[in-house]
């Protein structure tokens, strides 16, 4: 495990950061990459450094494995052949009984958040109070399983996968020289507390990196790139309209929090001299995404909405130094 390290002298090099967002975030990010490549001519597979969190960890790993924007478009438009890796299904395994528990999954982490608030982020500490999740990620991660082998990393060595150590509360970026293989790392990064069980790697438990930050874009500092492209499906400027339901209110509050975190990370990158291009969902995108990022029902509508808004978002991100919304 390591944080993103220096890869040599500064030159024209691009880093791609894809943040958390669940099933709808994956669809939105895929469409955004399609729009970005079409508008600029830059092949997203050529990113010098790839950094992903949660669904972003899966997506950067797919890109590092050779999946193209044409593949992504075909995936959401149901145009891929039967044997394509993006259509893979999880291998059948013997069902194991999973005992549900209402007890906190990481009570010591929550206690550390109270006793050492400067060392453990509140969002990380609160995640420790959630019960262990039981939802399997096998179906979600099936494309990666079809493209990679256990015990291996990726052909693109500068791929980083962000997770959180569920005992210490520290953010971790798994890398090629670490203890996790790519399948373990991505599974850990996608394991939402209270939804999916923590992943144990070398005797330590890990969960979704989004409980620390939805993007962790600041980890690109020192990565040997001078332009950073950030996709943040869970961020976005808040509407001043009164929320029409509790789920919308929660979504608005979550996005407001994620947007503040994102802005701090982007400001930090820019102060360090990096060019940063940031993409967040438009209001129309968010209407298509709905308020449950884990629901597969909205994935096709989300992809098409983000594809429609893509050209304008690309033009804005490439023209303005500020965070685009």
């Amino acid at each position: 495990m390591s944080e993103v390290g220096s890869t040599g002298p500064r030159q024209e090099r691009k880093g791609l950061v894809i943040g958390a967002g669940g099933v709808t975030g994956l669809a939105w990010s895929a469409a955004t990459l399609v729009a970005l490549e079409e508008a600029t001519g830059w092949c997203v597979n050529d990113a010098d450094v790839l950094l992903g969190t949660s669904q972003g960890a899966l997506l950067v790993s797919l890109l590092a494995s050779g999946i193209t924007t044409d593949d992504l478009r075909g995936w959401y438009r149901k145009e891929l052949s039967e044997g394509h890796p993006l259509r893979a299904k999880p291998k059948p395994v013997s069902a194991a009984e999973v005992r549900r528990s209402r007890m906190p999954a990481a009570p010591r982490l929550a206690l550390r958040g109270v006793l050492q608030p400067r060392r453990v982020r509140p969002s990380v500490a609160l995640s420790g109070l959630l019960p262990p999740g039981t939802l399997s990620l096998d179906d979600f991660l099936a494309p990666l399983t079809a493209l990679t082998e256990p015990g291996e990393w990726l052909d693109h060595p500068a791929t980083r996968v962000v997770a959180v150590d569920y005992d210490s509360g520290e953010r971790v970026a798994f890398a090629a020289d670490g203890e996790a293989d790519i399948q373990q790392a991505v599974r850990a990064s996608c394991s939402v507390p209270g939804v999916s069980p923590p992943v144990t790697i070398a005797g330590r438990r890990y969960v979704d990196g989004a409980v620390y930050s939805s993007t962790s874009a600041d980890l690109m500092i020192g990565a040997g790139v001078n332009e950073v492209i950030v996709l943040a499906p869970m961020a976005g400027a808040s509407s001043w309209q009164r929320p029409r339901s509790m789920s919308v209110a929660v979504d608005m509050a979550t996005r407001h929090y994620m947007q503040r975190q994102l802005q701090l990370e982007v400001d930090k990158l820019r102060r360090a001299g990096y060019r940063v291009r940031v993409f967040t969902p438009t209001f129309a995108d968010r209407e298509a995404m709905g308020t449950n990022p884990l629901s597969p029902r909205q994935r096709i509508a989300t992809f098409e909405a983000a594809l429609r808004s893509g050209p304008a978002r690309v033009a804005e991100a490439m023209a303005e130094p500020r965070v685009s919304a």
Side-chain angles (χ1 to χ4, degrees):
M1 296 172 292
S2 67
E3 292 197 352
V4 178
S6 176
T7 57
R10 287 178 64 86
Q11 50 186 310
E12 289 300 320
R13 293 169 62 88
K14 296 180 187 289
L16 177 61
V17 177
I18 305 180
V23 176
T24 57
L26 180 61
W28 179 88
S29 298
T32 299
L33 293 176
V34 171
L36 176 63
E37 188 165 308
E38 286 184 343
T40 65
W42 176 63
C43 177
V44 297
N45 301 84
D46 291 339
D48 296 286
V49 180
L50 295 162
L51 178 72
T53 301
S54 198
Q55 71 83 22
L58 172 62
L59 189 47
V60 298
S61 298
L62 295 178
L63 296 176
S65 301
I67 294 297
T68 67
T69 55
D70 285 342
D71 293 323
L72 295 174
R73 187 201 299 270
W75 191 19
Y76 286 97
R77 291 188 168 172
K78 300 182 179 180
E79 298 171 347
L80 298 180
S81 61
E82 183 68 32
H84 196 284
L86 291 180
R87 294 191 60 185
K89 299 298 181 185
K91 296 177 181 179
V93 295
S94 57
E97 181 180 357
V98 178
R99 294 186 178 181
R100 294 183 178 272
S101 172
R102 296 183 179 180
M103 298 298 292
R108 292 184 180 179
L109 177 61
L111 181 60
R112 283 195 65 196
V114 174
L115 299 178
Q116 300 174 311
R118 294 185 179 181
R119 298 190 63 181
V120 180
R121 284 199 172 186
S123 57
V124 175
L126 288 172
S127 75
L129 294 175
L130 296 171
T134 59
L135 179 68
S136 172
L137 290 169
D138 289 351
D139 189 61
F140 188 63
L141 301 181
L144 179 64
T145 304
L147 287 163
T148 61
E149 294 293 334
E152 297 180 354
W153 196 249
L154 299 160
D155 290 338
H156 192 313
T159 305
R160 307 291 186 265
V161 171
V162 183
V164 166
D165 186 313
Y166 213 28
D167 298 306
S168 70
E170 296 177 353
R171 176 176 59 173
V172 172
F174 289 105
D177 59 354
E179 297 171 311
D181 64 34
I182 190 60
Q183 293 184 17
Q184 291 173 319
V186 174
R187 185 177 292 273
S189 186
C190 292
S191 293
V192 180
V195 177
S196 296
V199 174
T200 301
I201 301 170
R204 299 192 68 83
R205 298 184 304 162
Y206 296 92
V207 294
D208 193 334
V211 301
Y212 187 97
S213 166
S214 73
T215 58
S216 286
D218 57 310
L219 289 182
M220 277 290 181
I221 293 176
V225 300
N226 47 25
E227 182 171 347
V228 181
I229 297 168
V230 184
L231 276 58
M234 294 187 71
S238 298
S239 167
W240 293 107
Q241 295 179 350
R242 184 175 180 179
R244 60 182 181 272
S245 67
M246 180 59 69
S247 62
V248 172
V250 171
D251 181 70
M252 289 173 61
T254 300
R255 288 187 178 278
H256 178 71
Y257 175 73
M258 296 297 187
Q259 181 71 18
R260 288 184 60 190
Q261 279 190 323
L262 174 65
Q263 188 67 64
L264 290 172
E265 293 172 3
V266 169
D267 289 345
K268 188 175 180 181
L269 282 164
R270 287 179 174 149
R271 286 196 301 270
Y274 296 87
R275 294 192 303 273
V276 188
R277 315 295 188 184
V278 183
F279 295 83
T280 58
T282 65
F283 292 122
D285 294 344
R286 287 160 56 179
E287 283 293 316
M289 295 170 84
T291 58
N292 180 6
L294 301 182
S295 173
R297 298 183 193 176
Q298 305 298 117
R299 60 190 295 271
I300 304 300
T302 297
F303 180 83
E304 296 298 339
L307 207 57
R308 288 191 297 271
S309 68
R313 289 187 292 113
V314 172
E316 182 180 5
M318 293 300 160
E320 300 290 338
R322 61 182 175 84
V323 174
S324 65

